[in-house]
PDB file of all heavy atoms in Angstrom:
ATOM      1  N   MET A1037     -36.798  23.539  47.150  1.00  0.00           N
ATOM      2  CA  MET A1037     -36.280  22.189  47.246  1.00  0.00           C
ATOM      3  C   MET A1037     -34.828  22.160  46.795  1.00  0.00           C
ATOM      4  O   MET A1037     -34.468  22.757  45.794  1.00  0.00           O
ATOM      5  CB  MET A1037     -37.082  21.242  46.366  1.00  0.00           C
ATOM      6  CG  MET A1037     -38.497  21.016  46.836  1.00  0.00           C
ATOM      7  SD  MET A1037     -39.213  19.690  45.900  1.00  0.00           S
ATOM      8  CE  MET A1037     -39.153  18.390  47.065  1.00  0.00           C
ATOM      9  N   LYS A1038     -34.075  21.426  47.525  1.00  0.00           N
ATOM     10  CA  LYS A1038     -32.654  21.289  47.211  1.00  0.00           C
ATOM     11  C   LYS A1038     -32.466  20.134  46.222  1.00  0.00           C
ATOM     12  O   LYS A1038     -32.994  19.046  46.411  1.00  0.00           O
ATOM     13  CB  LYS A1038     -31.886  21.018  48.493  1.00  0.00           C
ATOM     14  CG  LYS A1038     -30.404  21.110  48.314  1.00  0.00           C
ATOM     15  CD  LYS A1038     -29.712  20.964  49.653  1.00  0.00           C
ATOM     16  CE  LYS A1038     -28.217  21.054  49.450  1.00  0.00           C
ATOM     17  NZ  LYS A1038     -27.504  20.835  50.682  1.00  0.00           N
ATOM     18  N   LYS A1039     -31.696  20.426  45.137  1.00  0.00           N
ATOM     19  CA  LYS A1039     -31.449  19.430  44.100  1.00  0.00           C
ATOM     20  C   LYS A1039     -30.300  18.513  44.522  1.00  0.00           C
ATOM     21  O   LYS A1039     -29.287  18.973  45.040  1.00  0.00           O
ATOM     22  CB  LYS A1039     -31.083  20.149  42.803  1.00  0.00           C
ATOM     23  CG  LYS A1039     -31.362  19.338  41.585  1.00  0.00           C
ATOM     24  CD  LYS A1039     -31.156  20.183  40.350  1.00  0.00           C
ATOM     25  CE  LYS A1039     -31.579  19.394  39.143  1.00  0.00           C
ATOM     26  NZ  LYS A1039     -31.339  20.109  37.923  1.00  0.00           N
ATOM     27  N   SER A1040     -30.436  17.222  44.308  1.00  0.00           N
ATOM     28  CA  SER A1040     -29.415  16.246  44.678  1.00  0.00           C
ATOM     29  C   SER A1040     -28.183  16.389  43.787  1.00  0.00           C
ATOM     30  O   SER A1040     -28.296  16.623  42.590  1.00  0.00           O
ATOM     31  CB  SER A1040     -29.978  14.829  44.543  1.00  0.00           C
ATOM     32  OG  SER A1040     -28.961  13.887  44.688  1.00  0.00           O
ATOM     33  N   LYS A1041     -27.020  16.237  44.361  1.00  0.00           N
ATOM     34  CA  LYS A1041     -25.776  16.294  43.609  1.00  0.00           C
ATOM     35  C   LYS A1041     -25.567  15.018  42.798  1.00  0.00           C
ATOM     36  O   LYS A1041     -24.728  14.963  41.925  1.00  0.00           O
ATOM     37  CB  LYS A1041     -24.592  16.483  44.552  1.00  0.00           C
ATOM     38  CG  LYS A1041     -24.558  17.834  45.211  1.00  0.00           C
ATOM     39  CD  LYS A1041     -23.340  17.936  46.108  1.00  0.00           C
ATOM     40  CE  LYS A1041     -23.339  19.274  46.819  1.00  0.00           C
ATOM     41  NZ  LYS A1041     -22.206  19.392  47.736  1.00  0.00           N
TER      42      LYS A1041
END
Side-chain angles (χ1 to χ4, degrees):
M1037 292 190 104
K1038 190 174 180 184
K1039 204 172 186 183
S1040 171
K1041 291 181 182 178

